[in-house]
Amino acid sequence: MKKMLAKTLTIAAIVTMGITAQAADTIKVGVLHSLSGTMAISETTLKDTVLMLIEEQNKKGGVLGKKLEPVVVDPASNWPLFAEKMRGLLTKDKVDVTFGCWTSVSRKSVLPVLEELNGILFYPVQYEGEESSKNVFYTGAAPNQQAIPAVNYLMNEIGVKRWVLAGTDYVYPRTTNKILKAYLIAKGVKESDIMINYTPFGHSDWQSIVSNIKKFGSTGKKTAVVSTINGDANVPFYKELGNQGISAENIPVVAFSVGEEELSGLDTKPLVGHLAAWNYFQSVEDDINSEFIASWKKFIKNDKRVTNDPMEATYIGFNMWVKAVEKAGTTDSDAVIDAMVGVSVPNLTGGLATMMPNHHLTKPVLIGEIQENGQFETVWETPDTVVGDAWSDFLPGSKDLISDWRKPLECGNYNVKTGKCSGQNY
Amino acid sequence: MKTIFIKIILLNLLLITSVFSGKFENDIKPLLKNSFKTKEVVINQVSQKYSENDKLQTLLQALMKGDLFYTKQDKTFVVLYKKEGKIYYTKSLETQKQLEPMNKKMFKKVKTNNRLRSTIREKLAELNLFSKDRDIRYNSAKNMLKHVSQNSSVLVQKALKIEKDSKVLSVLNEINTIINVKFGTDKQEAIVKLGDYLSPQSLQALKEIYASSEDKELKELARLSIASINRSKDFYAFVEKAFFGLSLGSILLLAAIGLAITFGVMKVINMAHGEMMMLGAYTVYALQKSMPNLIEYSVIIAIPVAFLVSGIIGIIIERLVIRHLYGRPLETLLATFGISLILQQMVRSIFSPLNQEVKTPQWMSGALEINSALSLTYNRLYIIIFALLVFAGILLVLNKTSLGLKVRAVTQNRKMAQAMGIKTGLIDALTFGIGSGIAGIAGVALSQLTNVGPNLGQAYIVDSFMVVVFGGVGNLWGTLIGAITLGEINKFIEPVAGAVLAKVIILVFIILFIQKRPRGLFAQKGRDAED
C-alpha cells in the first residue's frame, strides 16, 4: 500500500514537472482587444482572428519548435485600462508579442508602457498617422494608403470639384480631415469648395446636415462626400441621404469606416452604390483569400460571418511576426524588432506586404462600391502597392519628419531640415 | 426622278439597318475591357448611332441594373433575368433568346461605376422621354434637366408638343427655357422667364449669363432673375428649417409624452423610460422577422403590439418595484436605473449586442417634392402627424374618459380619491402602463429613424427629461410646446453653430431658463403643485 502511494506520488511529481517544463516551452502571445463595452462589437472579431491564427500555427508545429499560447485580456473599451492590462501582459504574463487596440486613444494609452518595458505591439486598424514608435508595428492603413488615394479616385475618375468632409468629432476624423484639406488645397481646390462638418458619436438627426450637403452640391460642380463618420451614426446618415433624393450618382459618399462587418445586419438599400476605401475586401477573388474566408467560417462555426480589412491586417501582422521570429531565431524584443524591417508576406488580395523601416506596410488601395448583399465590388485599385507614410507630407508640422528604425538613424521622427531626432515618438 | 431618289434613300436605310444589326454587337465589344473611360466612350457612341435600336435600351437597362454579364468562354453578352442560388438564368443580348441556365462561375459581370451609371441614366432619359408611364417620363425629364445641352433641344420640342401632364410639362418647359437662355435667339424673354424656376440648373445658367455676357441689358435682367430665385430659395430654406425643427420636435414629443405621464402626473422618475422605447423598436424588428411578407404594414401592426408589450412590462415593473417606492424619488431613480440596465442586458442576451436591421416600408421612404427647392421626407412627415395624433389621443383619454378622470383624481389627491371609492393601486398601475405603452409607440417611430440596438433608449432619455422639465411638470400642453420649441431652436442654431455646439447651447439655455422659471413654461398652479 505504501509502495503504491509512493509510486503515485512520483508519477504525480513527474507529471507536474512535465507540465511546468512544457509551460516554459511555449511562446506567449498577448491579445489586447476589448471584449466588452462599446468597442466589443468590432474588437471581439479580431481577438477571434488571432486565436484562429495561433491555432493554425500550432498545427503547423508552432514557432521555433515551441507552441504558441494565447493570453487574452479584456480592457473593456476603457482607455486607461488598456495601459494597465498592457503592463500586466508584459510584467506578469511575460508575453513576447501583443496583438491589440482599435481606437487611436487606446493605442496612445499603451504606448508609454510599451516603450518603457520594450514590448512589441501589432496595431491592425487604419489610423490618422502622425506617429511612429519603435515598439509598434502599424499593419493598418496610414492616411496616404486610404484617404489620399480615395480622394485621387474621386478627383480623377469621377471628376469631383467640390468636397464635403464629414466626420464624427474625435481624433481620427479631425486629423484625417486636416490632412485631406491641406492636400486638396495643394491640388488647387479653393477653400470655398470644401465644407467640413463634425457630428457627435451616434448622431441620428441628419436632416439639416444632409440638406446643407444637398445645397452645397447644387452649384453645378460635381460634389462628393468624404466620410469619416464612425459606427452606427452611418445608418441614419445614409437613410437620410436616400430620403432626400441624393443618390450615389449625384453625390457619392466615400467612407473610411464602413466595412463588411459594419454592413452585416443592416438594411443596405440606401447605401448601394456608395463607396468605401480599404486595403482589402472580402469579395476580392484570390485563392489565399478564399482559403482564409473558409477557415474563418469554420473556426467561428458560423457561415454568415464576414471578413474585413482589420482582420487582414491582423493576418499580415501575425505572419510577419512569425517570419521575423524565425529569422531572428529568438523572441527577444530587440532582435525581433530588428528582424521585422524588410519582412515580406503575402496579403489576402494576391500581393505582397512588406514591413518598411518606418514600421508601416506596403498595401494596395481598393475602392469598392457597396452592393445590396453587404459586400463591396472593387471599382478601382492602385496599380501598385503604396508605402505607408507615418508623417503626412501635407501638414506643416510633419512635412519634414521621416521615420526610419534601421541603424544608424533609429529614429521615429527625424527632422530632415534641422537634422535632429526629437526622441519623442508620438 | 423623285421616285428614284426615294428608292435610293430607302435602299440606303435598308443597308444601314442591316449593317447596323450586325455591327451593334461589334461596337459594344470594348465593354469587355476594364477601363470605365473606354466604356463611357462606347456608350456615348452606340447611344448616338443606334438610338432607334431596341437592343440599345435592353443593353442600357441591363448595365444600369448590373445585370449585364458576358460568358467567360466565348465572350458574348448576356442579360441576367433570374438567379437561383448559384444558377444564373440568362438571355442572349443579340438574339434575345433564353439560354441554358448555368453556374455563375461561367459568367463575368460588366462592371459599372457611379459616373458610368449617371451617363447611362442620361442616355436612358432621352429614350424614355416618350414612354407611356407618366413617372418614367417625369424622371427622364428630371434627368435631362441635369445635363442640358443643345442636342436635347429637338427632343424637348417634340416632347413639349405631345406632353399632357402638367408636372412633366413644367420640367420640360424649364429645360426649354434653359436651352433658350444658353443657345436661343430671344435671350431676354427666356432670362426673365427663368427667374420663376428654382432648380440649381436654372440658377447656374443665369449665373453664367451674368458672369460672361457682354450685353448690359442682359446682365441686368439676369441679375434680377437671380435675385428673384434667391428670394424664393431663402423663403423655402426657411420653411425647410421650420419643418426640420418640427420633425425633431415631434420625435422629442413622442419620447417625452409617456414620461410626461409617469414623471409629470405620477411624479415617478422613471429611468427605464428609454428602455420602453427600445422595446417598442424591437417589437417592429421581431414583427418584421416573423412576418417577412408584410414589411409594408409591419410598422402599422407594430403600433398596437408595441403599446401592449411596453405597457404590460411597465405594469409589471410598477407592481413589482415602483409601487413600494412611491414618495421616495431617490430610491425610485436608482431602482428604475437598475431596471433599465437589466432590460438592456436582457435584449443583448436575447437578440445580440449588435444593432438590428429594421426595414423601412416603401411608403415611408422618399420625399414629397413640393418644388425643386423644397421637398419634405415622407418618414418625417408621417411621424409629425403620428406624434400629434398620439398627443390628441392621450389628451382625450385624460380629459374625456372615466379612466382619465380617475387618474387625475388620484394624482391630485390620493387620499380623497381613495375615500371616493377609487382603487388607487389599479389606477397607478394603469397610468404607468399607459405611459410605458406610449414610450413603446415612440420606439416604433424611432425604429424608422435611428439604429435599433440595446442603447437606443439611452440616447433619448436625457432629451425626454429636458422636454418635460422645460415644458412644465404635470402639464401635457407644456410638453407639446416644450418639445416643438426645443426642436425648432436646435434646428435653427445647427446650421450656424454645428451639431455639437447646438446641443450644448440648448442645454445651457434650459439651465438658464430653469433658473428664471423653476417650474417650466407652464407651471402648475394650486395646492397640488406646492408639495
Side-chain angles (χ1 to χ4, degrees), chain A residues 1 3 74 78 86 123 146 226 259 269 272 306 390:
Chain A
M1 187 65 205
K3 229 181 181 175
D74 176 18
N78 175 350
M86 188 75 240
Y123 176 68
Q146 191 185 24
V226 178
K269 229 188 312 150
V272 171
V306 292

Side-chain angles (χ1 to χ4, degrees), chain A residues 38 41 153 156-159 169 197-200 202-209 211-212 214-215 218-222 231-236 239-240 242-245 247-250 252 264-269 272-275 285 369 371 377-380, chain B residues 36-37 64 72 108-115 117-118 121 146 200-201 204 207 233 237 240 243-245 247-248 251 353-360 362 364-367 372-373 375 377-380 447-451 455 460 491 494-495 498-500 503:
Chain A
T38 51
I41 301 177
Y153 169 77
N156 304 330
E157 301 281 320
I158 311 278
D169 203 358
N197 185 288
Y198 292 106
T199 40
H203 191 69
S204 66
D205 194 345
W206 289 93
Q207 302 179 82
S208 19
I209 290 160
S211 153
N212 277 350
K214 200 173 164 185
K215 269 183 215 126
S218 65
T219 55
K221 288 186 194 167
K222 182 78 185 169
D232 31 8
N234 274 304
V235 182
K239 250 191 197 173
E240 190 68 38
N243 279 338
Q244 294 202 20
S247 72
E249 284 160 34
N250 315 332
S264 68
L266 274 191
D267 187 1
T268 45
K269 229 188 312 150
V272 171
H274 286 295
L275 306 159
E285 279 174 25
E369 274 179 14
Q371 307 289 303
E377 186 172 305
T378 314
V379 290
W380 183 85
Chain B
F36 290 120
K37 284 204 172 129
M64 190 74 210
K72 280 185 187 167
K108 211 154 171 126
K109 189 172 172 178
V110 180
K111 287 184 181 175
T112 57
N113 68 356
N114 285 318
R115 185 192 169 121
R117 277 197 292 272
S118 142
R121 209 181 277 284
K146 280 182 198 153
Q201 286 77 19
Q204 201 55 37
K207 277 188 178 157
K233 274 204 153 176
E240 191 184 36
F243 173 76
F244 288 162
S247 153
L248 180 62
I251 292 157
L354 295 168
N355 290 335
Q356 301 297 344
E357 172 185 2
V358 171
K359 293 206 170 68
T360 308
Q362 204 56 45
M364 276 188 92
S365 38
S372 327
S375 49
T377 48
Y378 279 123
N379 58 352
R380 307 267 174 185
S447 75
Q448 293 304 314
L449 293 178
T450 180
N451 290 295
N455 298 328
Y460 288 92
K491 283 295 152 186
E494 206 181 276
V500 184
K503 281 204 159 170

Side-chain angles (χ1 to χ4, degrees), chain B residues 247-261:
Chain B
S247 153
L248 180 62
S250 70
I251 292 157
L252 290 176
L253 176 66
L254 271 176
I257 206 167
L259 201 72
I261 294 170

Side-chain angles (χ1 to χ4, degrees), chain B residues 343-509:
Chain B
L343 287 174
Q344 276 177 39
Q345 198 54 45
M346 197 177 81
V347 166
R348 274 198 196 102
S349 323
I350 298 175
F351 293 100
S352 101
L354 295 168
N355 290 335
Q356 301 297 344
E357 172 185 2
V358 171
K359 293 206 170 68
T360 308
Q362 204 56 45
W363 52 272
M364 276 188 92
S365 38
L368 174 69
E369 206 178 290
I370 295 182
N371 55 38
S372 327
L374 180 67
S375 49
L376 310 175
T377 48
Y378 279 123
N379 58 352
R380 307 267 174 185
L381 210 56
Y382 286 127
I383 286 171
I384 293 175
I385 297 168
F386 180 61
L388 293 176
L389 284 180
V390 170
F391 180 78
I394 280 299
L395 219 55
L396 268 182
V397 169
L398 279 186
N399 291 334
K400 300 281 177 208
T401 63
S402 104
L403 175 70
L405 189 70
K406 286 173 188 162
V407 168
R408 280 181 294 144
V410 172
T411 49
Q412 275 170 21
N413 194 325
R414 178 173 296 267
K415 290 230 170 78
M416 187 69 90
Q418 222 162 4
M420 303 298 278
I422 294 173
K423 289 181 186 143
T424 52
L426 182 72
I427 295 296
D428 282 337
L430 282 181
T431 318
F432 199 83
I434 291 175
S436 305
I438 303 266
I441 293 183
V444 176
L446 284 177
S447 75
Q448 293 304 314
L449 293 178
T450 180
N451 290 295
V452 177
N455 298 328
L456 179 138
Q458 292 194 317
Y460 288 92
I461 185 80
V462 177
D463 287 345
S464 328
F465 269 107
M466 239 156 54
V467 168
V468 175
V469 171
F470 176 67
V473 176
N475 190 319
L476 281 183
W477 285 102
T479 311
L480 175 74
I481 307 286
I484 289 173
T485 317
L486 288 185
E488 293 289 353
I489 295 177
N490 195 331
K491 283 295 152 186
F492 274 92
I493 297 177
E494 206 181 276
V496 189
V500 184
L501 206 58
K503 281 204 159 170
V504 177
I505 293 174
I506 293 264
L507 209 63
V508 172
F509 165 73

Side-chain angles (χ1 to χ4, degrees), chain B residues 179-196:
Chain B
I179 293 175
N180 282 340
V181 166
K182 279 187 171 164
F183 318 104
T185 40
D186 186 11
K187 290 197 177 185
Q188 290 197 1
E189 198 198 319
I191 288 174
V192 174
K193 221 171 132 193
L194 207 53
D196 296 336

